[in-house]
Amino acid sequence: DADVTQTPRNRITKTGKRIMLECSQTKGHDRMYWYRQDPGLGLRLIYYSFDVKDINKGEISDGYSVSRQAQAKFSLSLESAIPNQTALYFCATSGGAKNIQYFGAGTRLSVL
Amino acid sequence: GEDVEQSLFLSVREGDSSVINCTYTDSSSTYLYWYKQEPGAGLQLLTYIFSNMDMKQDQRLTVLLNKKDKHLSLRIADTQTGDSAIYFCAESPTNFGNEKLTFGTGTRLTIIP
């Protein structure tokens, strides 16, 4: 089983809909992250959490919100989806001094 | 803020060496990383280097770090078709409690048969 699991893997939704992307991990890490990947732009950080009571905005948090329900779970919500939020979304976790991040397989989101 | 730059594309003949380059701006970087992303998959750590090292070798992979020029490179010897992927450079800052990574744009490596 994967250490970092994202659901769903693919999602098509309509403009204005609220959707949630979920991430769970079995690595026992405190730190969790949500990124967005767009062609030619690399990975951009949306939100990150260093423990259950800690939530921080990344560089592109507008239009997104997160919830850290437990150490192992970190979900990303789009309150009112818009077409320019069409992208590949990744969840990651890290722990330890080397700050190596472990990624889920990604969620491909299309907003029509 | 921190910035990490890479070329977007690289094509290499099978069996040749591939060299992927990266420049970064944060002089306080502690660790620098290379991640590989295969089609339909997430990023997977290939290797990393601590900032007080100049070079790290791991089988077919050689990482070179020029801290003065803030330049990082990844050399893949004897490139194979399975090396086709997007390669991301990333850096982590020194200050504890700020363990975010900054990623480059990724370099898409294409292998020519």
Side-chain angles (χ1 to χ4, degrees):
Chain A
D1 288 340
D3 293 322
V4 183
T5 303
Q6 292 184 235
T7 55
R9 291 294 315 277
N10 293 281
R11 178 74 183 268
I12 300 173
T13 191
K14 293 182 178 180
T15 297
K17 294 290 188 182
R18 182 182 189 276
I19 65 162
M20 180 183 289
L21 309 183
E22 299 193 8
C23 177
S24 62
Q25 53 115 345
T26 58
K27 297 193 75 67
H29 288 161
D30 286 327
R31 303 177 211 138
M32 297 189 73
Y33 309 80
W34 274 104
Y35 292 93
R36 166 180 173 157
Q37 183 181 16
D38 297 276
L41 295 179
L43 270 71
R44 293 182 292 167
L45 184 63
I46 306 173
Y47 270 96
Y48 60 103
S49 170
F50 286 165
D51 65 41
V52 175
K53 296 179 182 177
D54 176 77
I55 301 288
N56 304 279
K57 292 183 178 181
E59 57 181 300
I60 54 161
S61 59
D62 287 349
Y64 301 95
S65 62
V66 290
S67 173
R68 184 81 184 265
Q69 300 95 325
Q71 186 205 37
K73 295 184 183 295
F74 192 37
S75 60
L76 176 72
S77 293
L78 285 68
E79 298 302 325
S80 179
I82 56 176
N84 77 358
Q85 292 177 313
T86 293
L88 189 53
Y89 290 85
F90 287 105
C91 173
T93 75
S94 73
K98 295 186 181 69
N99 199 24
I100 294 169
Q101 295 196 4
Y102 298 87
F103 285 79
T107 295
R108 186 167 296 279
L109 175 66
S110 295
V111 183
L112 305 179
Chain B
E2 300 85 2
D3 194 21
V4 178
E5 294 190 355
Q6 304 176 237
S7 299
L8 289 179
F9 303 100
L10 176 67
S11 295
V12 173
R13 292 205 175 275
E14 189 174 1
D16 287 352
S17 292
S18 305
V19 179
I20 303 170
N21 294 300
C22 169
T23 57
Y24 60 97
T25 58
D26 187 0
S27 58
S28 67
S29 296
T30 305
Y31 287 97
L32 295 116
Y33 313 82
W34 284 105
Y35 281 83
K36 178 182 181 182
Q37 183 184 27
E38 295 183 356
L43 280 70
Q44 186 173 15
L45 180 73
L46 269 183
T47 187
Y48 65 92
I49 188 167
F50 189 55
S51 58
N52 68 353
M53 298 170 64
D54 298 326
M55 184 181 85
K56 181 177 181 181
Q57 190 152 1
D58 183 2
Q59 299 183 337
R60 291 192 299 122
L61 305 179
T62 302
V63 178
L64 295 178
L65 175 60
N66 181 328
K67 202 171 179 184
K68 173 176 168 290
D69 294 338
K70 299 190 185 72
H71 183 267
L72 183 74
S73 67
L74 173 69
R75 178 176 179 268
I76 306 172
D78 186 25
T79 308
Q80 303 298 309
T81 54
D83 295 323
S84 291
I86 302 175
Y87 291 81
F88 289 92
C89 168
E91 64 91 17
S92 178
T94 299
N95 41 323
F96 187 74
N98 185 25
E99 294 90 348
K100 298 179 290 177
L101 297 192
T102 301
F103 286 86
T105 55
T107 299
R108 182 179 296 274
L109 176 63
T110 301
I111 311 306
I112 305 166

